[in-house]
Amino acid sequence: MFDKIASRYEGTNRILSLGFDRRWRRRAADRLCPRPGALYLDVGCGAGDMCIEILRKAPGCRVVGIDPSEGMLAVGRAKVRAAGVSDAVSLLPGDVLNLQFPDNSFDGAITAFCIRNVTDRLMGLREINRVLRPGGSLVTLELTDPVGLMKPLFRLYSNMVIPLVTKVMSCVSAYRYLTDSMADFPQADRFVTVMQDAGFADAEYFRMTGGIVTIFHGQKPV
Ligand SMILES: C[S@@+](CC[C@H](N)C(=O)[O-])C[C@H]1O[C@@H](n2cnc3c(N)ncnc32)[C@H](O)[C@@H]1O
């Protein structure tokens, strides 16, 4: 599915999120606290925006992005080249359920709008935990069920605006999947428990924009 929408992914997201997606990624990258000289993993890197954001925060670090979609990786590689950061960012085919890296390889890891799509989230989080160095952080940015006033507003938005925009952008089924997968994603408290079960300590979360997105954070114990 992501191969099919790769070329329209960024534009559609920008429109659907009213430009908020950039701010959400920036906040998630802040939470990772990247530092020069360190090595980070971006799981489900897609078109590479988060990799570039991490590098912007900490010039001199290195980022490896993995994604099973060759179409998304191709868009990402072009973007990385255009940003002039090919020496610091590598985008590789990969699956969070079976990461190709040895234990304790990365200083930190991030996933943005990815873990919702993973069939076995506990297994995926365990794999991320395995490849993190002790003390390394995982930051997960994910679309979640809105709270309070945002709940009815978002329902209206997803019933009226999303179908219209996705029709114009010719990706109706992909974005119907988006609202279905949002409904399928566990509540924030429950996802924190899954992070703990996967071996993350001090797991916590921060809602943004009325809970439409949530940043989850946890650490591999030292
Ligand atoms: C909604 S896109 C998000 C892309 C990017 N992280 C961003 O911020 O725009 C979700 C990505 O997760 C990837 N994905 C889905 N299943 C995955 C898996 N098992 N392992 C790694 N990535 C996966 C998809 O191929 C897709 O590129």
Side-chain angles (χ1 to χ4, degrees):
M1 185 188 75
F2 284 102
D3 274 343
K4 271 197 223 151
I5 61 165
S7 60
R8 282 159 289 156
Y9 174 78
E10 187 181 5
T12 312
N13 271 5
R14 195 87 355 112
I15 297 168
L16 285 180
S17 74
L18 310 172
F20 274 89
D21 63 317
R22 280 194 281 217
R23 184 186 307 185
W24 294 332
R25 280 195 200 86
R26 274 203 296 274
R27 292 276 300 277
D30 280 341
R31 191 71 211 169
L32 189 65
C33 300
R35 49 180 206 282
L39 179 63
Y40 297 99
L41 176 66
D42 179 7
V43 173
C45 61
D49 297 284
M50 188 58 98
C51 300
I52 296 172
E53 191 56 47
I54 292 170
L55 204 70
R56 204 173 280 145
K57 300 249 173 260
C61 73
R62 282 176 305 135
V63 189
V64 176
I66 64 111
D67 200 291
S69 163
E70 277 297 345
M72 294 292 270
L73 288 172
V75 175
R77 287 184 188 122
K79 220 183 253 187
V80 164
R81 267 196 307 277
V85 292
S86 303
D87 51 340
V89 177
S90 314
L91 302 186
L92 310 171
D95 185 334
V96 69
L97 298 176
N98 184 18
L99 291 171
Q100 63 265 54
F101 311 105
D103 298 358
N104 309 322
S105 302
F106 294 92
D107 297 294
I110 201 158
T111 75
F113 311 118
C114 165
I115 206 75
R116 187 173 30 91
N117 304 294
V118 175
T119 45
D120 188 340
R121 295 183 193 114
L122 177 61
M123 192 179 179
L125 291 175
R126 280 197 177 130
E127 266 297 87
I128 297 175
N129 190 279
R130 178 183 69 74
V131 301
L132 275 177
R133 294 194 179 117
S137 282
L138 166 66
V139 174
T140 291
L141 173 66
E142 196 47 89
L143 292 166
T144 42
D145 216 9
V147 291
L149 184 62
M150 194 56 93
K151 213 177 174 71
L153 285 179
F154 184 75
R155 196 170 306 129
L156 208 65
Y157 183 79
S158 53
N159 287 337
M160 302 186 71
V161 181
I162 296 183
L164 195 72
V165 172
T166 54
K167 197 167 175 193
V168 173
M169 301 298 277
S170 315
C171 43
V172 173
S173 57
Y175 283 85
R176 192 171 302 133
Y177 162 78
L178 173 109
T179 40
D180 290 351
S181 63
M182 273 179 85
D184 183 49
F185 193 69
Q187 296 291 323
D189 287 331
R190 171 74 196 117
F191 187 69
V192 160
T193 313
V194 180
M195 287 180 74
Q196 287 162 342
D197 291 347
F200 288 96
D202 302 322
E204 55 187 348
Y205 66 88
F206 313 88
R207 287 196 172 104
M208 289 191 292
T209 324
I212 287 181
V213 297
T214 301
I215 291 180
F216 298 88
H217 177 257
Q219 259 185 328
K220 179 167 176 173
V222 178

